[in-house]
Amino acid sequence: MSIEVKNITKLYGSQKALDAVSFTIKEGEIVGFLGPNGAGKSTMMKIITGYFDDYEGTVKVCDISATSNRLATQSAIGYLPEHNPLYLEMYVKEYLHFHAAIHKVGKDAIAQIIEKVGLTPEAHKKIHQLSKGYRQRVGIAAALLHHPKVLILDEPTTGLDPNQLLDIRALIKSIGKDKTVLFSTHIMQEVEAVCDRVIIINKGKIVADKKLKELKENQEQQIEVEFDLRVEKQFIERIPNLKTAVNVFDTTWELTFSTTVDMRSAVFDFAHDNGLKTLKLDSKNKSLESLFRELTA
Ligand code: ADP
Ligand code: MG
């Protein structure tokens, strides 16, 4: 396992920031760590990276115990902290040299990383001259310098404009081809765009840990249909597999089905067989965003 977190409980004073959190991440996975502000994402990441040691439970990174062998696990991890603290007066290359020296990696790694994270056009500048998107690239470059197997990115896209956001997501995806990545975000769409698995945390507890495909499949199917005439609810309830039917407006109904089979043609056929005309028929699958809101309400 790349990351194995077991029963982590962490208190700040009397406040429980993490409550018996457990999960495992396999080598090569890109996992979104999703939760609203204050859920405990940064705290969990700081524990994995060895920033804290006052917690209950155990953490392993690349099968090495972070609790007893912190130096070894830290060399396996590249970490981009929240708010990406950078020395703004430094030149990009100077900053990366500084990081390379800390990790005792050769200078040739720097040129490679600059290329890899797409920093080449800005590499001659001072960090304060860079846009937020390029500053994030500098932070990601610094995290990658020592060739870690595991990358932990704490809200890497927060505060970026829409173009920068797409660029950084694409960068995370491409880095994830040969690394294990855990990145936190409070945006469900981000997880959909970048990963195939999501761990959702709320108030210090894991509330979901699933492949996105599974989440989508478990969603109920919703169909909005408009007939040409008003109908009684008992009549509508004869549609097979129907779970609920709500008369949202005059001749418009919102139907939910607890099946993954596309029910649109069944609804159309039902109307036709009963002498109704179908004026409108829309599949309105509940978004993952609304599922996230339900889980973290
Ligand atoms: P997230 O990253 O999901 O926004 P955090 O891990 O930063 O959440 O915070 C989890 C909870 O712990 C929040 O209620 C936050 O206020 C609290 N917290 C975080 N850091 C500290 C700290 N250094 N001292 C006291 N409370 C903290
Ligand atoms: Mg945070």
Short mmCIF file of all heavy atoms in Angstrom, two decimals, residues 12 15 17 35-44 46 52 82 154-155, ligand 1:
data_model
loop_
_atom_site.label_atom_id
_atom_site.label_comp_id
_atom_site.label_asym_id
_atom_site.label_seq_id
_atom_site.Cartn_x
_atom_site.Cartn_y
_atom_site.Cartn_z
N TYR A 12 -7.30 18.97 18.83
CA TYR A 12 -6.68 20.28 19.08
C TYR A 12 -7.29 20.74 20.40
O TYR A 12 -8.46 21.12 20.42
CB TYR A 12 -7.02 21.29 18.00
CG TYR A 12 -6.39 21.02 16.63
CD1 TYR A 12 -7.19 20.67 15.55
CD2 TYR A 12 -5.02 21.16 16.43
CE1 TYR A 12 -6.63 20.46 14.29
CE2 TYR A 12 -4.45 20.95 15.17
CZ TYR A 12 -5.27 20.60 14.11
OH TYR A 12 -4.72 20.40 12.87
N GLN A 15 -10.97 19.92 21.07
CA GLN A 15 -11.72 19.73 19.82
C GLN A 15 -11.18 18.56 19.01
O GLN A 15 -9.98 18.47 18.73
CB GLN A 15 -11.62 21.01 18.97
CG GLN A 15 -12.54 20.94 17.76
CD GLN A 15 -12.08 21.88 16.64
OE1 GLN A 15 -11.23 22.74 16.82
NE2 GLN A 15 -12.66 21.68 15.46
N ALA A 17 -10.51 16.99 15.79
CA ALA A 17 -10.43 17.35 14.37
C ALA A 17 -10.54 16.11 13.49
O ALA A 17 -11.04 16.19 12.36
CB ALA A 17 -9.13 18.09 14.09
N GLY A 35 -13.93 17.50 1.07
CA GLY A 35 -14.71 17.85 2.26
C GLY A 35 -14.82 19.35 2.39
O GLY A 35 -13.97 20.08 1.86
N PRO A 36 -15.84 19.82 3.10
CA PRO A 36 -16.00 21.26 3.28
C PRO A 36 -14.88 21.84 4.16
O PRO A 36 -14.13 21.08 4.76
CB PRO A 36 -17.36 21.39 3.97
CG PRO A 36 -17.64 20.05 4.57
CD PRO A 36 -16.90 19.04 3.76
N ASN A 37 -14.78 23.15 4.21
CA ASN A 37 -13.77 23.78 5.06
C ASN A 37 -13.93 23.32 6.49
O ASN A 37 -15.04 23.22 6.99
CB ASN A 37 -13.89 25.30 5.01
CG ASN A 37 -13.35 25.84 3.69
OD1 ASN A 37 -12.44 25.25 3.10
ND2 ASN A 37 -13.92 26.92 3.23
N GLY A 38 -12.82 23.02 7.14
CA GLY A 38 -12.86 22.62 8.53
C GLY A 38 -13.14 21.15 8.76
O GLY A 38 -13.24 20.69 9.89
N ALA A 39 -13.24 20.37 7.65
CA ALA A 39 -13.58 18.95 7.78
C ALA A 39 -12.45 18.13 8.39
O ALA A 39 -12.69 17.07 8.97
CB ALA A 39 -13.94 18.38 6.40
N GLY A 40 -11.22 18.60 8.22
CA GLY A 40 -10.07 17.84 8.77
C GLY A 40 -9.08 17.39 7.70
O GLY A 40 -8.16 16.62 7.99
N LYS A 41 -9.22 17.89 6.48
CA LYS A 41 -8.36 17.46 5.36
C LYS A 41 -6.89 17.81 5.63
O LYS A 41 -6.02 16.95 5.54
CB LYS A 41 -8.81 18.12 4.04
CG LYS A 41 -10.25 17.84 3.67
CD LYS A 41 -10.63 18.49 2.34
CE LYS A 41 -10.60 20.01 2.34
NZ LYS A 41 -11.60 20.64 3.23
N SER A 42 -6.64 19.08 5.94
CA SER A 42 -5.24 19.51 6.13
C SER A 42 -4.63 18.79 7.33
O SER A 42 -3.46 18.39 7.28
CB SER A 42 -5.16 21.02 6.34
OG SER A 42 -5.61 21.69 5.19
N THR A 43 -5.42 18.62 8.38
CA THR A 43 -4.92 17.92 9.56
C THR A 43 -4.49 16.50 9.19
O THR A 43 -3.40 16.05 9.55
CB THR A 43 -6.00 17.89 10.66
OG1 THR A 43 -6.38 19.23 10.96
CG2 THR A 43 -5.49 17.22 11.92
N MET A 44 -5.33 15.81 8.42
CA MET A 44 -4.99 14.43 8.01
C MET A 44 -3.73 14.43 7.17
O MET A 44 -2.85 13.56 7.34
CB MET A 44 -6.17 13.83 7.22
CG MET A 44 -6.06 12.35 6.95
SD MET A 44 -6.02 11.36 8.46
CE MET A 44 -4.36 10.71 8.42
N LYS A 46 -1.29 16.61 7.18
CA LYS A 46 -0.11 16.93 8.01
C LYS A 46 0.32 15.71 8.82
O LYS A 46 1.50 15.54 9.10
CB LYS A 46 -0.43 18.10 8.94
CG LYS A 46 -0.44 19.44 8.21
CD LYS A 46 -0.83 20.55 9.17
CE LYS A 46 -0.97 21.87 8.46
NZ LYS A 46 -1.69 22.86 9.30
N PHE A 52 2.74 16.33 12.30
CA PHE A 52 2.27 16.13 13.68
C PHE A 52 2.65 14.73 14.15
O PHE A 52 2.69 13.81 13.33
CB PHE A 52 0.73 16.16 13.75
CG PHE A 52 0.12 17.50 13.56
CD1 PHE A 52 -0.95 17.65 12.68
CD2 PHE A 52 0.55 18.61 14.27
CE1 PHE A 52 -1.55 18.88 12.51
CE2 PHE A 52 -0.05 19.84 14.10
CZ PHE A 52 -1.10 19.98 13.21
N GLU A 82 -1.10 23.56 2.04
CA GLU A 82 -2.16 24.53 1.76
C GLU A 82 -1.54 25.93 1.70
O GLU A 82 -0.60 26.21 2.44
CB GLU A 82 -3.15 24.45 2.93
CG GLU A 82 -4.50 25.04 2.65
CD GLU A 82 -5.46 24.73 3.80
OE1 GLU A 82 -5.01 24.46 4.93
OE2 GLU A 82 -6.68 24.78 3.55
N ASP A 154 -2.31 19.74 -0.94
CA ASP A 154 -3.41 20.28 -0.12
C ASP A 154 -4.05 21.47 -0.83
O ASP A 154 -3.45 22.54 -0.93
CB ASP A 154 -2.87 20.67 1.27
CG ASP A 154 -4.01 20.85 2.28
OD1 ASP A 154 -5.19 20.78 1.88
OD2 ASP A 154 -3.70 21.06 3.47
N GLU A 155 -5.23 21.25 -1.36
CA GLU A 155 -6.00 22.25 -2.11
C GLU A 155 -5.15 22.96 -3.18
O GLU A 155 -5.03 24.19 -3.18
CB GLU A 155 -6.63 23.28 -1.15
CG GLU A 155 -7.47 22.60 -0.08
CD GLU A 155 -8.85 23.21 0.11
OE1 GLU A 155 -9.27 24.03 -0.74
OE2 GLU A 155 -9.49 22.83 1.09
P1 ADP B 1 -9.77 21.45 6.35
O1 ADP B 1 -8.37 21.37 5.82
O2 ADP B 1 -10.65 20.32 5.89
O3 ADP B 1 -10.41 22.78 6.06
P2 ADP B 1 -8.49 21.43 8.96
O4 ADP B 1 -7.80 20.13 9.07
O5 ADP B 1 -7.66 22.62 8.63
O6 ADP B 1 -9.72 21.28 7.94
O7 ADP B 1 -9.26 21.73 10.31
C1 ADP B 1 -10.06 20.80 10.98
C2 ADP B 1 -10.58 21.43 12.26
O8 ADP B 1 -9.51 21.63 13.17
C3 ADP B 1 -11.21 22.81 12.06
O9 ADP B 1 -12.30 22.91 12.95
C4 ADP B 1 -10.11 23.76 12.42
O10 ADP B 1 -10.62 24.95 12.91
C5 ADP B 1 -9.36 23.00 13.50
N1 ADP B 1 -7.91 23.32 13.48
C6 ADP B 1 -7.07 23.18 12.44
N2 ADP B 1 -5.81 23.53 12.79
C7 ADP B 1 -5.85 23.90 14.07
C8 ADP B 1 -4.88 24.34 15.03
N3 ADP B 1 -3.59 24.46 14.68
N4 ADP B 1 -5.31 24.62 16.28
C9 ADP B 1 -6.59 24.46 16.63
N5 ADP B 1 -7.57 24.04 15.80
C10 ADP B 1 -7.22 23.76 14.54
#
